[in-house]
């Protein structure tokens, strides 16, 4: 149920994620995401019942991201919606997003990314999510290539 909200939902969890301990300690990336997600919750008329913060790579699946896994389980249990500031904070892995979307639909969990517009029909929204997940994955791969090239130059 990506970008789809159960009409009876009145609550949400905000999920924020940064990749490195340094980012986690500074809190700056987390705070910006939190502000965006909370604004989206207010726009949707949802009460924020929990803020879930994680410091893990976006390449990892729920097995490597215990905070995300617990947030999704709790949303399934109590009918809350999961809100993220940006889709790429949820994942930068197309395959993982596809599996996450299938599980969310099956379990009736609404997931909203503040930066992804809701489309008229569920299939259109799902298509937009998949396109953006592909772009996020490509972006991650380009960053790896740039870092590898820069490190090779630095070693010389």
């Amino acid at each position: 149920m990506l970008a789809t909200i159960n009409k009876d939902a009145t609550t949400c969890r905000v999920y924020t994620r940064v990749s490195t301990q340094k980012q986690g300690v500074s809190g700056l990336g987390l705070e910006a995401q939190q502000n965006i997600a909370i604004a989206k919750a207010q726009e949707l008329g949802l009460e924020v019942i929990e803020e879930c913060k994680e410091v893990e790579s976006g390449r990892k699946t729920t097995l490597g991201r215990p905070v995300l896994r617990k947030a999704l389980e709790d949303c399934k249990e109590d009918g809350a919606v999961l809100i993220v500031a940006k889709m790429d904070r949820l994942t930068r892995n197309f395959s993982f997003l596809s599996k996450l979307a299938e599980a969310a639909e099956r379990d009736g969990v609404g997931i909203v990314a503040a930066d992804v517009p809701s489309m008229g029909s569920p299939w259109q929204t799902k298509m937009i999510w998949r396109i953006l997940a592909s772009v996020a994955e490509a972006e991650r791969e380009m960053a790896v290539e740039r870092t590898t090239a820069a490190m090779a130059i630095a070693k010389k």
Side-chain angles (χ1 to χ4, degrees):
M1 289 178 48
L2 296 174
T4 305
I5 301 172
N6 178 338
K7 292 176 182 143
D8 298 327
T10 59
T11 60
C12 69
R13 284 180 176 76
V14 167
Y15 175 79
T16 57
R17 180 192 65 77
V18 291
S19 299
T20 67
Q21 289 297 324
K22 184 177 179 183
Q23 293 169 321
V25 169
S26 77
L28 296 176
L30 292 170
E31 186 178 335
Q33 291 176 52
Q34 183 180 19
N35 291 340
I36 292 166
I38 288 172
K40 187 65 173 181
Q42 290 171 343
E43 176 188 320
L44 297 172
L46 299 172
E47 175 191 356
V48 177
I49 57 172
E50 186 176 11
E51 295 175 18
C52 309
K53 298 176 183 177
E54 188 154 53
V55 179
E56 281 295 347
S57 169
R59 291 180 286 179
K60 292 185 176 178
T61 65
T62 50
L63 293 176
R65 294 179 41 204
V67 175
L68 176 58
R69 183 176 60 245
K70 175 129 176 41
L72 290 166
E73 288 169 1
D74 290 347
C75 286
K76 178 182 175 183
E77 205 171 286
D78 61 21
V81 174
L82 186 72
I83 298 182
V84 296
K86 293 180 63 184
M87 193 271 301
D88 71 357
R89 298 294 83 201
L90 190 58
T91 185
R92 288 181 179 241
N93 180 314
F94 178 82
S95 175
F96 174 62
L97 179 72
S98 293
K99 291 174 185 167
L100 180 66
E102 288 171 16
E105 280 187 277
R106 179 191 66 234
D107 297 340
V109 175
I111 302 175
V112 173
D115 68 332
V116 179
S118 288
M119 303 303 286
S121 71
W123 71 264
Q124 290 171 321
T125 300
K126 200 181 297 186
M127 178 186 71
I128 294 297
W129 273 75
R130 288 182 173 142
I131 290 168
L132 292 175
S134 293
V135 170
E137 186 172 298
E139 194 175 83
R140 181 193 78 214
E141 295 302 323
M142 288 186 289
V144 168
E145 286 179 358
R146 286 190 303 269
T147 301
T148 302
M151 292 183 77
I153 292 169
K155 282 184 180 180
K156 290 180 182 179

